């Protein structure tokens, strides 16, 4: 596979590895990033590098838009974490550190493409125009998702680990029968890659040549277990056992994630079958707000990954190339403050749902037993208002 990595100090040619015909190669890094085959277009220092098999042309306004996405997604995520700590949300799964993987892949989607998320794809939700307050309603317990999946082409969050991979494979198989020129993307983590559902999805997608991209965010930790306890090979190489290509990309490089996901989606929608993208990134915070990562990982590891922060590197690039000034950064920060305010006020002002709504969508048609249960519940709830059960 073709290998080229540049650093701010010196451009260095790396060894070439043979790639399968028609399948793009990937970059190999050494030293601190001693991991195999990593596609990178923007170094941690903010230097733009090229890759012959993943070309990417972006205009200055597109770069500024990506920076805005990253900053606002991080702010929204930080506000949600704070709200949970204040008792306003039941739980929150932070994406801190994974913004580039989600924004880069999310912005690669065409309007007709369909995304199947886990419970952490807040950045992809942002790219699909899901209102953050609708998303937070689920974690506050006032709705079951809040958005129309078919309007946004963004499915409801999936809590069952790995199940969405099968949903995505099935939906992609349906696309081929409909003759549509669209593709599907399924998000999951390194922990979910060990689930049987994901392997079954790989099998179906491969055999039926389904137009689906499996996007694995390898954030190094499946709750408290490192990736090394789950696999003896890099995750992207699992794809070869199912008969389709896999690529590992720098998950903290928004440009590389954009370029690789665009290629993967086009590969899939062009009738070439599925692709596995492994976004090599890091979960900077806890698995969820019920988790304490200090119990199972070293602070030195987290500090090392801070140097690869996706927002810092894109800002460095914009500043080095003179593509954004202080006025631009200040305007994004001001917009971030406004978003934070809207999220805080919006969440705290969410009305409690009518408890009887739980009976409304059990069956598609009216059901006598459900009607009886609803009536019993209404009578029971009314007894509290009357003081009978106080």
């Amino acid at each position: 596979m073709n290998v080229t990595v540049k650093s701010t100090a010196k451009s260095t040619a790396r060894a070439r590895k043979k790639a399968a015909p028609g399948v793009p190669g990937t970059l190999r890094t050494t030293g601190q990033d001693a991991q195999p085959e990593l596609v990178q277009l923007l170094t941690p220092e903010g230097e733009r590098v090229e890759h012959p098999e993943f070309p990417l042309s972006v205009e200055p306004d597109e770069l500024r838009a990506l920076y805005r996405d990253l900053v606002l997604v991080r702010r929204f995520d930080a506000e949600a974490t704070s709200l949970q700590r204040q008792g306003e949300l039941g739980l929150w799964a932070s994406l801190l550190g994974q913004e580039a993987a989600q924004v880069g892949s999310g912005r690669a989607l065409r309007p007709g493409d369909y995304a199947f998320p886990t419970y952490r794809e807040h950045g992809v939700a942002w790219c699909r125009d899901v209102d953050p307050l609708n998303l937070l309603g689920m974690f506050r317990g006032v709705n079951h998702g809040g958005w129309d999946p078919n309007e946004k082409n963004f499915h409801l969050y999936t809590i069952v680990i790995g199940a969405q991979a099968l949903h995505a494979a099935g939906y992609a198989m349906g696309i081929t029968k409909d003759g549509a020129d669209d593709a599907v993307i399924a998000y999951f983590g390194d922990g979910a890659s060990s689930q049987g559902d994901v392997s079954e999805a790989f099998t179906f997608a491969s055999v039926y040549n389904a137009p689906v991209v499996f996007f694995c965010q390898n954030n190094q930790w499946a709750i408290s277990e490192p990736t090394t306890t789950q696999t003896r090979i890099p995750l992207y190489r699992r794809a070869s056992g199912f008969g389709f290509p896999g690529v590992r990309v720098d998950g903290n490089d928004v440009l590389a994630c954009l370029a690789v996901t665009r290629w993967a989606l086009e590969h899939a929608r062009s009738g070439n079958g599925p692709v596995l993208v492994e976004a090599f990134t890091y979960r900077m915070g806890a698995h969820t707000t019920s988790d304490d990562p200090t119990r199972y990982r070293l602070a030195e590891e987290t500090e090392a990954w801070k140097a690869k922060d996706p927002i810092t590197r894109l800002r460095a690039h914009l500043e080095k190339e003179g593509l954004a000034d202080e006025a631009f950064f200040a305007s994004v920060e001001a917009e971030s403050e406004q978003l934070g305010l809207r999220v805080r006020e919006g969440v705290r002002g969410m009305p409690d749902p009518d408890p009887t709504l739980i009976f409304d969508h059990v069956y598609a048609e009216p059901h006598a037993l459900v009607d009886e249960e609803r009536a019993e519940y209404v009578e029971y709830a009314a007894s509290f208002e009357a003081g009978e059960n106080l």
Side-chain angles (χ1 to χ4, degrees):
M1 291 185 177
N2 287 336
V3 180
T4 307
V5 175
K6 295 181 181 179
S7 68
T8 54
K10 183 178 180 181
S11 298
T12 308
R14 308 296 186 190
R16 292 179 66 90
K17 287 187 67 180
K18 186 176 180 182
V23 178
T26 53
L27 299 179
R28 176 179 296 277
T29 61
T30 58
Q32 183 182 3
D33 294 321
Q35 298 291 338
E37 300 95 2
L38 183 70
V39 176
Q40 187 178 88
L41 299 182
L42 190 64
T43 70
E45 297 78 17
E47 180 183 358
R48 182 77 160 87
V49 294
E50 300 296 334
H51 190 287
E53 292 161 332
F54 295 101
L56 181 68
S57 177
V58 285
E59 297 298 323
D61 59 340
E62 294 177 275
L63 288 172
R64 290 189 289 268
L66 288 170
Y67 178 83
R68 173 182 175 272
D69 284 337
L70 295 174
V71 171
L72 296 184
V73 166
R74 178 169 291 185
R75 181 53 180 269
F76 159 57
D77 178 66
E79 290 295 339
T81 299
S82 296
L83 285 165
Q84 195 284 328
R85 296 305 189 199
Q86 296 163 17
E88 302 291 349
L89 302 178
L91 186 73
W92 184 248
S94 174
L95 59 64
L96 183 62
Q98 299 177 222
E99 297 90 352
Q102 295 191 17
V103 169
S105 61
R107 290 303 181 195
L109 295 167
R110 298 197 320 200
D113 295 336
Y114 208 107
F116 287 82
T118 65
Y119 45 79
R120 200 187 302 274
E121 272 65 64
H122 321 312
V124 185
W126 173 269
C127 293
R128 299 309 268 178
D129 295 324
V130 174
D131 189 323
L133 290 177
N134 276 343
L135 193 154
L136 287 170
M138 180 178 69
F139 291 90
R140 190 171 172 84
V142 302
N143 64 43
H144 295 296
W147 64 89
D148 181 349
N150 293 323
E151 176 191 351
K152 305 298 185 182
N153 275 11
F154 182 75
H155 201 265
L156 298 178
Y157 274 12
T158 301
I159 308 301
V160 179
I161 306 300
Q164 70 280 0
L166 279 171
H167 305 159
Y171 192 94
M173 290 162 62
I175 284 179
T176 60
K177 295 183 180 297
D178 293 340
D181 182 27
D182 296 315
V184 178
I185 188 167
Y187 292 90
F188 56 93
D190 47 294
S193 69
S194 298
Q195 291 284 356
D197 283 7
V198 174
S199 292
E200 291 169 7
F202 285 2
T203 297
F204 273 95
S206 179
V207 170
Y208 286 91
N209 213 45
V212 56
V213 173
F214 296 106
F215 195 93
C216 175
Q217 292 175 81
N218 179 3
N219 64 19
Q220 313 301 308
W221 291 93
I223 307 182
S224 58
E225 291 295 323
T227 310
T228 52
T229 65
Q230 301 184 72
T231 179
R232 297 181 65 177
I233 61 171
L235 293 178
Y236 80 95
R237 288 178 55 190
R238 287 181 172 179
S240 63
F242 293 88
F244 56 88
V247 180
R248 173 180 275 192
V249 61
D250 183 345
N252 285 23
D253 177 354
V254 69
L255 301 186
C257 290
L258 176 64
V260 169
T261 309
R262 277 182 180 172
W263 169 81
L265 289 166
E266 189 58 34
H267 176 95
R269 70 166 54 92
S270 299
N272 297 308
V275 177
L276 172 61
V277 176
E278 178 192 357
F280 196 74
T281 181
Y282 192 78
R283 167 169 54 81
M284 295 299 294
H287 175 70
T288 70
T289 46
S290 64
D291 170 45
D292 178 8
T294 64
R295 296 174 64 88
Y296 54 81
R297 68 187 191 190
L298 299 175
E300 291 85 350
E301 179 179 290
T302 306
E303 287 298 316
W305 276 90
K306 282 184 179 179
K308 308 173 188 179
D309 184 82
I311 297 178
T312 302
R313 73 169 69 181
L314 183 53
R315 176 164 182 157
H317 177 68
L318 291 170
E319 291 176 332
K320 284 182 179 182
E321 300 299 323
L323 301 176
D325 56 19
E326 286 303 318
F328 166 75
F329 295 119
S331 68
V332 173
E333 184 60 29
E335 189 176 0
S336 169
E337 291 293 331
Q338 289 299 315
L339 176 61
L341 178 63
R342 186 170 81 88
V343 167
R344 290 194 300 275
E345 292 182 344
V347 167
R348 290 169 177 154
M350 287 179 178
D352 292 334
D354 180 355
T356 62
L357 289 175
I358 62 174
F359 300 99
D360 288 353
H361 303 290
V362 178
Y363 294 100
E365 301 294 334
H367 192 282
L369 180 58
V370 174
D371 291 342
E372 180 183 342
E373 291 173 342
R374 180 191 291 106
E376 290 178 355
Y377 176 80
V378 169
E379 182 180 359
Y380 172 73
S383 69
F384 285 91
E385 297 180 8
E388 297 174 14
N389 290 314
L390 296 178

